[in-house]
Each structure stands twice: as C-alpha cells, then as structure tokens.
Amino acid sequence: MLQVTDLHVTVEDKEILKGLTLTINAGEVHAIMGPNGAGKSTLSAVIAGKDGYEVTQGSITFEGQDVLEMEIEERAQAGLLLGFQYPVEIPGVKNIYLLKSALNAQRKARGLDDMPAPEFMKLVKEKLGFMKMDASFLQRAVNEGFSGGEKKRNEILQMLVLQPKLAMLDEIDSGLDIDAMKVVADGVNSLRAQERAILLVTHYQRLLDYIVPDKVHVLVDGRIVKTGDAELAKQLEANGYEGIEESAA
Amino acid sequence: MSDTQTFLDTLKTRSQQRDAEPSWIAARRQAGAARFEALGFPTRRDEEWKYTDVRSIAQGNFALADNADFSPAQAAALTLPVDAYRLTFVDGVYAPALSDVDALPESVHVLPLSKALSENHEAVGGPLGRLTGVDFSTFAALNTAFMEEGAVVRIAPGTVVDKPILLQFLSRANATPVMSHPRILVEAGGRSEATLIEHYCGDLEAANFTNVVGEFMLDRGAILNHYKLQEAPLNDMHVASMHVEQGRDTRYTSYNLNLGGALVRNDLISDLNGQGAETNFFGLFFGQGRQHVDNHTKVNHNAPLTFSNENYKGILDDRAHGVFNGKVYVKRDSQKIEGFQSNQNLLLSDRAQIDAKPELEIYADDVKCSHGTTTGQLDEEAIYALRTRGIDEATARGLLTLAFAGEVLDKVTLDAVAERVELAVAGKLPERFNLAGLVETAVALND
C-alpha cells in the first residue's frame, strides 16, 4: 500500500531523513519509535505534504501513485490521512462543517455524490458516541478552546468519519491521561481492517499496550535501524534506545 | 477650469430645464451650490481625506440620467430575493415599474422624494437637510445642490413594519458616465420597528458616480435595522454621507457591507441624544483589484447611559486599499456610557493596504470604553490542516476568510444578504446555509 524507498529529506539545509525505507501492506499496523530528533515527525509530515521539507532523494508511492507529485488535498482524498501531534485551532470553522466538507471532497474525488444529510448525521452521531464526545462538539470551532485530550479525540473522530486507507498518527498519545488514551486507542483499534493500514509514530511504548502493532521500527538518526514485532517495543521500554543506537553505529 | 466648475455648469443647465419649484428648495439648492463651491473637493491634505484621493470624481464630467429604462429581466436577476416593500432607482431616476409599495399599511409611508415634494413639500422641508446639511461635507453640499430624487420613509409611532423596506439603486453602463445624488430621509416614530435595506448594484460595465445622503431620525423607543449592501459595479464611484439621530431608548443597527465600487467612501455618524439609546455599527468591507474602500464612522455619546458597539472587518486582496477611521466621542458629563470599538483587517495579498485609525475622545470620567485594531493574514497552518483533510486550497482559503468575516456576518440575519456577502468574499463554498438544521438533527439524535 505504502512504499517509502531510500528517502532523504532536508529541512532548512539540514538532512533529517537519510535513506529511509519502509513498506506497509494493507491490514497491518506499524509503529515507528525512536528518540527525539530521529526524524519521526518528519516522515509523517513529508507523506502528508507539509511545506518546508525537501526530498532530495528517494520515493514515496501509495497504491502505486507517486505521492510526492500529489497535492496535499489529493493525498487525503486518496485515503492518506495524518492525525496531528498538535492539532491546530481553526476559529470560525465549525467541526460539523469540516467533517461534511472533507467527507464530500473525498467522495467527489472518487466520483460519488455528496452523502445525504440524514445518512451523514447518522454516521457522525455513531462516531461521536464511540469517541465519547457529545453533539455540542459539532457546533464548536475546530479545536478552539479544546483541551489536549479533546483535540486528540477530535483527530480520531475525523479518521472515523473519513475512513482513510492509511491512517498516520503522529504522537497521538502525547499529553493524554490513561482514560483518554483508552478512548483514543479504542478509536484507532476500530479502524483496524483487512483493507486498511495504520502507522503510529510514538516516543513511548505505553500506547502500544493498547494498540498492538504488527511491526515495530526503530528510527535513529534518519534511518530505520531495526524492525521487529511488538516485543521489540517492550525491549526498548526496558533498555532505552542507547543499545540500539550503538548496535546501529 | 476648476474641478467644481464642471459640476456647477451641469447644475446650471439642469436648473434651466427644471420646472418652477418651491422657494425653500431653490434656496437650499443655492446654499448647497455655494457651500460646494466654497469648500471645493477635498484633497489628501485634509485630515479627513488623508488616505482617499477623490480626483477621479472631481475630474470627471458626469451627465444626469433622464430616464429609468432598465431591462426587467436583468433587474430581477440583480434584486435581492427578499420579500420587501421596494423602491427602485436607475442612475438616480425613480423607476415605478421596478418598484412595489402597493401593499404598504397606512401607518408606513415609503415614497420617492419627487413624489413627496410634489404632494406635500412642507412636510419634507423641515427634516430634509437638518442632519446631513450643506455643512456636513463637500459631497453633502453637492448632493443638496442637485437633490431631486430619493426615498422618504415615515413610520408612524408604534408601528412594527412587517417586511423590510428595500431601496434599490441600479447603475447602468452609459456611454457617458452619469452621477446621481439620492437622498434618503427616514423618520421612525416612537416605539416603531423597521428594517431598511439600501442595495447598490448594476451593470458590470457601469462607471457612474453615486453621491447619496441619508438622514435617520429615531424617536423615543424606535428600533431601526439599517442594511447597506453596496455591490456597485467595480468601476462605479460611491460616496455616502449618513447621519443618525437617536432619541431616548432607541436602537439603531447599521450593517454596512461594502463589496463593490472602484472608489468608495462612507461617512456614518450616530448622535446618541437620549438616555438608553444604543447604536451598533457592524461593517464589512472587501476589496480586490485596485478598489479603494474608506469607512469613516463616528459615535457621539451626547447623553449619559448611552451605548455603542462597533465592529468593522476589512478583507483586502490584490492591490486594494482600505481605510477605517472610527471615532467615539463622549461629551462632557455623559456618564455611565459604554463605547466599544473593534476593527480587524485581513490582507490576502502582499500589495493590499489598510490604514486604520481608531479614536477615542472622552470628556466624562465614569465611562467604559475600549477600542482596538489588528491586521493580519490567513493562518497558513490552518490552511494546511484543512487541506490534509481533503479540502482543496481555494475552499480552505475561502472557509478561513469567511471565518474571519464571521463575527460580523453572523449578525446579518437576512440570509439573502449574508449569501451575497459570503459569495463575494469567500467564493462558492459547499453547503454553509444548511448546516444549522444539521446540527439540530445531531442534537435530536443524541437525545
């Protein structure tokens, strides 16, 4: 589904990713772990299309399409969705509007008509309930005045409504207490499906107790230095990244 | 030849063609001409006109329209879809065929100025020119010299007018540009309630000059909602001089929405003369290309316990230039007044420009006043965030622009007006207007 090959990325002339290769197949949940500054957030930002990241070498394809040639919105419409570590506040734009516009933009790109209002509301209501959010969220401006936990739940709510093919979640666990973490993890787990993949970027192993990955990659200094299963995350928790960095060096 | 002489020559020719008129009108006209000649057109050396160059008006040679011919189909397309009592003027000339005031209740008079003058000129003579007289400005003096047409609205005490009163001003594409000098006179009786809409629009190719004067008198307890939707053709020039007088416990709300015109200047003044009087100035101006939009407002707190609330938002694209000058004046011993003023501007291009000047002048010691102005750009982080959800860039920018306008636009309770503004500032956005129902559905489903 997603193929990242020998990816080199610089930010302000500093090379952050130095030849990263990663393959994600449908049905899989991957976790990328690594110390601060290893390039974890850079990877998801480049895949989503954020400005300021220069790809100097390598390629990213999604279902055979060259991702780097696609506009930001085209990537989302194709089913590549990024959940932010720090979701931005968008004053004056209501959640309900964002959800409806985003869903219909995606449907339009796929040659479908707008979802009829009753069907849309049924969908949103169900997902709201799942994320333990009440309907008043819909009328509030996107993330404006939301607590850290509410913002993260809102990111997952968007995922549940938009049903991406590949959900990338950047440090979705940061700043969450254990109850909020469970709600968020339940939301993410509900996305697990044969036809879908999930990429978790995280600093801590704790999240992986709730969302058990099929594969864990250790990212150090711009490269994946080790890949394993969920057990690898537990080792990292116990021993830290130092041992891995040394073995990679 | 001086700039004023061209206008005075046109005036002279017009006067020779005109039928005899009551002596007081002729005298006012002369006073207007004299004042106009003495003042001359303002230049940028005048503090009040520091940022607005009116040479394109002063150096113009405008004819006066002599008919109100306008294609009914085109008029229908331009007309706001609002169920209203309607007077239409074409290049300043009254157009009975495009007007509809037949169903007016007896307690409400809405008639063209020409008719009001011919039927009972004495009734008009008192109030006309009392607020926005020849000393108001060069443009008000010029208007007085040329005054012939406009709208007279009288609302009897205690009357709640059931439908908005729509004054529609259409501008045509003429071989020679024309000028018009409409006057609007509104007398709102005690405890009356009404909504008045001024709507300016026309042929895209038009390049005329509209110089409107308005006078609004609110008797004790009257409520007047005054919409101005200025979507004049992009080569039109538009100057408006508006003066509101508010008695005790009155509430005046101005929705000053400016989208069109090459050169636009609005002067809006409210005198709060009685306790409990409240004035609300909501403004939104949108400029693109090389449009120039200047809003000058002033609130005079002439009595204690009076309230003003002003919120102006400017959105400027391309090389447009906006001016906001808002003044709140608190007269000596006008205690316990509240005056709030806010002006925020959004620049959509590097070459757009805004000159904003909020002013407070206070001669009382027990008052609550605040003012502030900000200027910024669209939040690129927010645009990125919207695009990562599949929303294309143009729509994302439109949404955020609309969100910026929201604080003012949300006050606009006439959907037909709000939709026109939204379309102009944000482009065609999906489904904004059926969201309210959706959320209600969501709440109901949650119960």
Side-chain angles (χ1 to χ4, degrees):
Chain A
M1 178 179 274
L2 183 80
Q3 179 64 50
V4 179
T5 309
D6 191 28
L7 189 68
H8 292 251
V9 174
T10 60
V11 177
E12 290 171 353
D13 293 332
K14 184 166 185 271
E15 189 167 45
I16 307 291
L17 296 184
K18 303 170 180 173
L20 185 146
T21 296
L22 175 69
T23 304
I24 299 178
N25 298 309
E28 295 175 350
V29 176
H30 288 235
I32 292 186
M33 302 185 69
N36 288 328
K40 300 190 299 291
S41 291
T42 298
L43 177 63
S44 50
V46 170
I47 297 173
K50 192 169 172 56
D51 275 353
Y53 296 82
E54 192 186 351
V55 176
T56 54
Q57 200 180 317
S59 66
I60 306 172
T61 59
F62 179 67
E63 296 192 316
Q65 282 183 281
D66 183 351
V67 171
L68 298 174
E69 288 296 315
M70 297 161 80
E71 295 288 347
I72 298 166
E73 55 268 29
E74 289 171 345
R75 301 178 193 199
Q77 290 160 4
L80 254 173
L81 223 56
L82 172 62
F84 290 100
Q85 181 179 6
Y86 303 109
V88 296
E89 299 191 4
I90 312 179
V93 176
K94 286 179 179 166
N95 269 306
I96 180 85
Y97 195 99
L98 171 65
L99 292 171
K100 198 160 199 293
S101 310
L103 182 65
N104 285 334
Q106 185 191 85
R107 290 174 66 93
K108 193 176 169 191
R110 296 174 189 177
L112 298 171
D113 288 338
D114 285 1
M115 185 180 276
E119 194 184 329
F120 171 72
M121 283 322 304
K122 193 162 169 283
L123 172 72
V124 170
K125 187 231 161 189
E126 179 200 325
K127 305 303 183 191
L128 271 174
F130 198 88
M131 294 310 294
K132 300 190 166 36
M133 297 164 83
D134 67 66
S136 68
F137 272 93
L138 299 177
Q139 285 161 296
R140 290 169 64 184
V142 178
N143 295 325
E144 194 178 31
F146 284 26
S147 70
E150 285 173 341
K151 286 181 182 174
K152 294 297 174 68
R153 274 193 276 170
N154 206 28
E155 293 293 288
I156 304 300
L157 174 71
Q158 291 167 18
M159 297 271 173
L160 296 185
V161 171
L162 297 173
Q163 297 280 312
K165 292 176 184 166
L166 173 63
M168 298 183 288
L169 299 164
D170 188 8
E171 309 252 356
I172 196 72
D173 50 333
S174 65
L176 292 185
D177 61 33
I178 195 72
D179 291 332
M181 170 104 82
K182 283 177 182 166
V183 174
V184 164
D186 285 349
V188 175
N189 283 325
S190 77
L191 283 168
R192 296 183 88 142
Q194 279 302 314
E195 69 281 7
R196 199 183 336 270
I198 295 168
L199 175 61
L200 302 165
V201 172
T202 181
H203 188 75
Y204 302 104
Q205 190 270 336
R206 192 177 64 154
L207 176 70
L208 307 183
D209 287 340
Y210 298 95
I211 309 170
V212 180
D214 300 305
K215 284 190 178 166
V216 173
H217 310 277
V218 182
L219 180 64
V220 176
D221 192 26
R223 280 187 210 95
I224 288 174
V225 296
K226 190 162 185 162
T227 295
D229 59 15
E231 274 307 305
L232 177 57
K234 293 203 165 72
Q235 287 169 26
L236 288 172
E237 181 77 356
N239 306 326
Y241 292 107
E242 285 80 7
I244 305 267
E245 283 174 69
E246 279 158 24
S247 68
Chain B
M1 190 160 62
S2 75
D3 294 339
T4 50
Q5 194 58 48
T6 320
F7 288 81
L8 292 168
D9 288 347
T10 307
L11 179 65
K12 197 172 166 191
T13 311
R14 184 62 152 202
S15 298
Q16 286 160 357
Q17 297 163 345
R18 199 181 278 122
D19 294 337
E21 54 188 2
S23 59
W24 70 264
I25 300 178
R28 298 261 179 105
R29 209 180 281 295
Q30 277 169 16
R35 190 70 187 141
F36 167 67
E37 192 173 8
L39 288 170
F41 281 104
T43 70
R44 296 187 57 182
R45 286 188 296 277
D46 296 286
E47 182 63 23
E48 289 291 295
W49 295 85
K50 194 171 170 182
Y51 302 108
T52 297
D53 186 338
V54 298
R55 277 180 298 180
S56 54
I57 295 171
Q59 294 170 1
N61 191 350
F62 300 99
L64 292 162
D66 58 6
N67 66 69
D69 299 342
F70 204 90
S71 132
Q74 196 195 352
L78 290 167
T79 297
L80 274 176
V82 173
D83 182 19
Y85 302 113
R86 186 168 79 236
L87 289 184
T88 299
F89 304 89
V90 176
D91 289 334
V93 180
Y94 177 52
L98 300 173
S99 302
D100 180 10
V101 287
D102 294 343
L104 271 172
E106 270 184 32
S107 56
V108 185
H109 292 242
V110 176
L111 64 170
L113 177 64
S114 54
K115 194 172 172 202
L117 287 172
S118 67
E119 282 177 359
N120 183 2
H121 69 86
E122 277 113 347
V124 182
L128 196 74
R130 187 167 68 76
L131 293 175
T132 318
V134 299
D135 292 324
F136 188 94
S137 68
T138 295
F139 289 99
L142 181 65
N143 173 291
T144 306
F146 277 98
M147 65 177 175
E148 279 178 8
E149 198 50 279
V152 174
V153 177
R154 288 195 205 95
I155 304 159
T159 304
V160 176
V161 186
D162 61 336
K163 293 194 286 192
I165 298 161
L166 173 61
L167 308 178
Q168 180 172 249
F169 298 88
L170 303 176
S171 183
R172 282 181 301 202
N174 299 294
T176 306
V178 302
M179 60 179 167
S180 59
H181 303 274
R183 290 193 80 97
I184 299 169
L185 178 65
V186 177
E187 294 175 90
R191 292 168 293 104
S192 67
E193 278 188 53
T195 294
L196 179 81
I197 309 168
E198 277 177 82
H199 183 210
Y200 299 86
C201 54
D203 282 335
L204 292 176
E205 309 301 318
N208 302 311
F209 167 42
T210 300
N211 178 31
V212 60
V213 161
E215 299 172 281
F216 305 85
M217 296 154 205
L218 279 68
D219 264 2
R220 184 167 181 164
I223 295 174
L224 180 65
N225 298 309
H226 178 193
Y227 283 88
K228 171 174 178 169
L229 177 61
Q230 188 275 104
E231 39 180 9
L234 288 173
N235 288 316
D236 257 28
M237 285 160 284
H238 182 97
V239 176
S241 310
M242 302 283 160
H243 198 159
V244 186
E245 181 186 63
Q246 296 187 240
R248 189 164 176 155
D249 298 329
T250 55
R251 188 171 79 223
Y252 169 80
T253 304
S254 160
Y255 307 85
N256 190 7
L257 310 164
N258 285 272
L259 309 173
L263 172 60
V264 177
R265 165 70 175 238
N266 289 300
D267 281 277
L268 173 62
I269 298 180
S270 246
D271 283 332
L272 299 171
N273 291 344
Q275 278 192 19
E278 174 189 330
T279 205
N280 300 294
F281 287 178
F282 300 120
L284 191 141
F285 52 98
F286 173 64
Q288 52 187 326
R290 286 173 169 268
Q291 279 181 281
H292 181 99
V293 190
D294 178 348
N295 283 295
H296 268 61
T297 67
K298 190 176 179 195
V299 178
N300 291 313
H301 287 271
N302 295 330
L305 286 162
T306 50
F307 311 96
S308 70
N309 178 29
E310 175 165 19
N311 193 347
Y312 265 66
K313 298 250 186 180
I315 302 168
L316 299 163
D317 202 353
D318 305 327
R319 302 183 68 170
H321 186 179
V323 181
F324 173 78
N325 188 309
K327 187 166 184 174
V328 175
Y329 171 85
V330 183
K331 196 177 168 179
R332 191 183 161 91
D333 297 331
S334 285
Q335 308 295 2
K336 309 238 181 251
I337 68 98
E338 292 179 14
F340 302 108
Q341 187 194 78
S342 164
N343 164 237
Q344 290 176 298
N345 305 296
L346 176 66
L347 301 182
L348 298 176
S349 103
D350 293 343
R351 303 182 83 176
Q353 192 186 336
I354 178 79
D355 289 290
K357 188 175 167 196
E359 293 179 87
L360 273 176
E361 199 177 324
I362 303 175
Y363 300 98
D365 51 23
D366 183 11
V367 304
K368 245 194 236 175
C369 286
S370 71
H371 68 170
T373 178
T374 62
T375 297
Q377 281 105 37
L378 286 180
D379 180 355
E380 293 295 332
E381 283 284 320
I383 291 170
Y384 170 65
L386 289 168
R387 293 180 71 193
T388 66
R389 296 300 174 259
I391 294 169
D392 67 82
E393 185 172 359
T395 303
R397 289 185 181 276
L399 273 175
L400 294 175
T401 305
L402 194 66
F404 171 81
E407 237 175 75
V408 168
L409 209 47
D410 288 349
K411 307 284 185 194
V412 174
T413 50
L414 287 169
D415 282 352
V417 175
E419 286 185 43
R420 293 276 179 107
V421 178
E422 172 183 320
L423 193 62
V425 305
K428 189 127 184 81
L429 295 174
E431 316 198 56
R432 179 170 129 83
F433 285 94
N434 45 38
L435 280 178
L438 269 186
V439 175
E440 280 157 26
T441 318
V443 174
L445 281 167
N446 245 37
D447 291 341

